[in-house]
Amino acid sequence: RLDQQKAYGFYLQDQISLSDALQIRVGLRYDDYDVRSLNRANGIRQSRSFNRVSPQFGLVVKASDAVSFYAAYGEGFRSNLGARANGEVFDPEFSKSYEAGAKFGLFDNRLNG
């Protein structure tokens, strides 16, 4: 097999301060993939193109000068190299991610965690 992939992507995002204690982040990512596959044993060629816009959102709440809490959500899109037994190129993979946590900065933010 010979698999080739070309991928392009770009994203736009902005983090906006709604107050001293609250920030939101919004973003979009555009991905475009071209996948080509050649089965060298039987000469079957397959190709597929995929593209998608994926959203991203985040929130930061500053509890004090040293501690803040955050949450984020994002969707992802990636091509999936390889092919089925009949030579058909695999569909792309889609993902959703969730993240939440706390951040701290001590000693004038010289120690972060």
Side-chain angles (χ1 to χ4, degrees):
R1 306 195 51 81
L2 174 63
D3 294 322
Q4 295 178 317
Q5 171 181 273
K6 289 185 181 180
Y8 303 94
F10 66 89
Y11 65 93
L12 300 169
Q13 73 177 25
D14 194 9
Q15 187 153 324
I16 303 162
S17 294
L18 299 178
S19 70
D20 288 341
L22 182 62
Q23 298 176 348
I24 61 170
R25 179 178 49 90
V26 294
L28 295 173
R29 179 176 174 87
Y30 174 79
D31 289 292
D32 185 275
Y33 294 95
D34 290 313
V35 178
R36 299 178 196 287
S37 180
L38 168 63
N39 183 328
R40 291 180 173 173
N42 60 20
I44 294 176
R45 294 178 185 270
Q46 293 283 323
S47 64
R48 291 180 79 177
S49 296
F50 308 98
N51 59 59
R52 180 167 192 242
V53 175
S54 303
Q56 301 175 0
F57 305 98
L59 176 71
V60 177
V61 177
K62 187 174 179 181
S64 70
D65 286 341
V67 178
S68 60
F69 300 96
Y70 67 91
Y73 169 80
E75 294 182 6
F77 169 75
R78 297 286 177 257
S79 69
N80 194 1
L81 285 180
R84 294 178 177 82
N86 66 0
E88 184 181 352
V89 176
F90 289 137
D91 289 334
E93 294 183 3
F94 299 91
S95 65
K96 293 181 181 181
S97 63
Y98 305 88
E99 181 179 359
K103 299 186 277 187
F104 68 87
L106 302 174
F107 310 114
D108 292 326
N109 283 325
R110 288 179 288 184
L111 175 63
N112 294 290

